[in-house]
Amino acid sequence: MRVAVIGLGLIGGSAALALADAGHDVLGLDPDPATREAAAAHFPVTADPAALADTDLAVVAAPFRHLAAVASATLDGYTGLVTDVSSVKAEPARIFARHRFVGGHPMAGKETAGFGAAEAGLFQGRKWVLCLETGTDLADWTALAGLWTSIGAQVVPATAADHDRAAARISHLEHLVAAALVHVADEPLARTLAAGSFRDGTRVAASPTALFTGMCEGNREQLMAAVEDLAVQLDAAAADLDAYTDRPNSISEWFDRARALRADWPPEPEAAQRIPLTRASLMELGAAGGWLEAVESEVALARRPRVKSTP
C-alpha cells in the first residue's frame, strides 16, 4: 500500500518505520523540520499536504487536539482510507465522519516521545484496536486489519464506545493514578526511599502532559466513571483498614481478590482458529476479548483468551 503517516512522533514514527520495513511505500508528513530531517533517512518526508493525494491510506498520528485541523485542512478533499492512533475513539469518529474512516488505537507506547524514540518493532505482539461500527465498510476494516497484522500487531475488533470504556480503565485511569501517587509522595524522605513499586506505579506519570490532556478531553465521561469505580474500591479498602482491629482478615481478603485477578493477567490464549471475515464473527471475537493474528482472503487467524474453569 501507499501509506501516508501524518505526525512522526513515537507512535506515528514507529508505524512508518514498521510499514517501510514491511515493504510498503511510506510517505511521512510532519510540520517540524528537525523531525522531517531525522525521518528522511528512513523514508520520504514532506510538509506539503498536497503530496498525500497519491496515497491509498492516511494514518493520522497527530496529537488529539490537532485532529480537527488535520481533518479539515490537511485531509481536505482526500479520497483514500483514513485511520488514526488516538487513545480515544468516539470523538475521532465524529471528527473524521466525512472521510472513509476506521478508528484505531495501538496498545503500545513509552514514556518518551518524538521520532528519536520510535522503533519499528514497537507493535510486535501488541494489541491494536480497530473500530467496527454498524456503518464501517468491512472491506476497509479488513484491509487495515491485514496491514497491522503484517507488522506483528494483534487486531482487536471493538466499537468506539466499548473501546473508550475499556481504555478509561486500563490506560487513562492509570495515568491519573500515577500522577496522584507522585503528588502524594512529594516529600524528600519519601522520594529518597522510593524504589520498585513507586517506579512501576508511576512510570506513565513521566509521559508528555499533552498525552493525558488528550485523554481527558476526548474521554472525560468514561474517565470520570472509572474514577468513581476506583473511589468505591479505595473506600472499601479504607473501611477494612478502619475496622482492622475487629475484622483483621477483611483487608487481606481485599488484597487476595486483587492478587488473584492480577495473577490471571495477561490471559492465556486458546489455540489459533480460522474465523470468517464477517461483521458478526468479528464482533463476537472482540466481545470475548479475542484478536486477529493474520488476515487471509476470506478468513482470519484468530485467538481468544482461555477461560479458566471454576474448581
Side-chain angles (χ1 to χ4, degrees):
M1 294 181 73
R2 294 173 298 169
V3 184
V5 180
I6 303 170
L8 299 174
L10 170 64
I11 300 300
S14 295
L17 290 171
L19 291 169
D21 284 357
H24 296 283
D25 184 6
V26 175
L27 174 67
L29 187 146
D30 197 281
D32 179 56
T35 297
R36 293 198 303 273
E37 181 180 2
H42 305 275
F43 46 79
V45 297
T46 184
D48 183 8
L52 306 182
D54 293 330
T55 61
D56 305 306
L57 167 69
V59 180
V60 181
F64 178 82
R65 59 181 51 182
H66 294 168
L67 294 185
V70 171
S72 63
T74 308
L75 293 177
D76 182 35
Y78 185 74
T79 58
L81 178 59
V82 178
T83 189
D84 74 324
V85 297
S86 301
S87 67
V88 295
K89 297 273 59 78
E91 185 62 13
R94 184 192 66 79
I95 291 172
F96 292 100
R98 295 184 178 182
H99 293 82
R100 285 172 54 207
F101 180 72
V102 178
H105 179 205
M107 306 304 296
K110 302 177 182 179
E111 62 273 20
T112 50
F115 187 79
E119 56 180 89
L122 185 67
F123 310 112
Q124 286 282 341
R126 306 300 293 270
K127 302 298 185 291
W128 193 307
V129 176
L130 276 183
C131 292
L132 186 56
E133 313 289 347
T134 303
T136 302
D137 185 278
L138 190 57
D140 286 344
W141 191 96
T142 301
L144 280 173
L147 185 71
W148 299 136
T149 55
S150 76
I151 63 170
Q154 300 171 344
V155 170
V156 179
T159 65
D162 287 345
H163 166 276
D164 286 356
R165 184 181 189 280
R169 284 158 172 74
I170 53 82
S171 177
H172 304 169
L173 181 65
E174 280 68 15
H175 281 76
L176 188 149
V177 170
L181 291 173
V182 171
H183 287 303
V184 168
D186 185 19
E187 56 186 53
L189 180 58
R191 293 175 66 84
T192 294
L193 298 180
S197 50
F198 179 81
R199 179 197 63 224
D200 296 343
T202 62
R203 179 183 63 84
V204 294
S207 303
T209 300
L211 175 66
F212 185 65
T213 55
M215 296 175 185
C216 292
E217 290 174 10
N219 206 24
R220 185 173 62 90
E221 291 185 6
Q222 289 292 352
L223 180 54
M224 289 174 62
V227 169
E228 291 172 1
D229 289 346
L230 174 64
V232 169
Q233 291 295 326
L234 291 177
D235 286 345
D240 289 338
L241 287 171
D242 186 54
Y244 186 80
T245 302
D246 298 325
R247 295 186 284 108
N249 292 332
S250 295
I251 192 65
S252 297
E253 293 170 356
W254 187 80
F255 274 110
D256 281 342
R257 290 192 297 273
R259 183 175 59 83
L261 290 169
R262 181 60 177 81
D264 195 30
W265 179 86
E268 180 184 353
E270 294 180 348
Q273 58 180 240
R274 283 176 169 80
I275 66 168
L277 282 167
T278 64
R279 195 179 306 273
S281 62
L282 289 169
M283 291 308 299
E284 186 277 329
L285 177 73
W291 59 90
L292 304 185
E293 294 186 344
V295 174
E296 300 171 0
S297 57
E298 296 182 358
V299 298
L301 193 65
R303 291 184 189 268
R304 290 175 171 80
R306 189 181 303 279
V307 178
K308 290 189 175 181
S309 59
T310 303

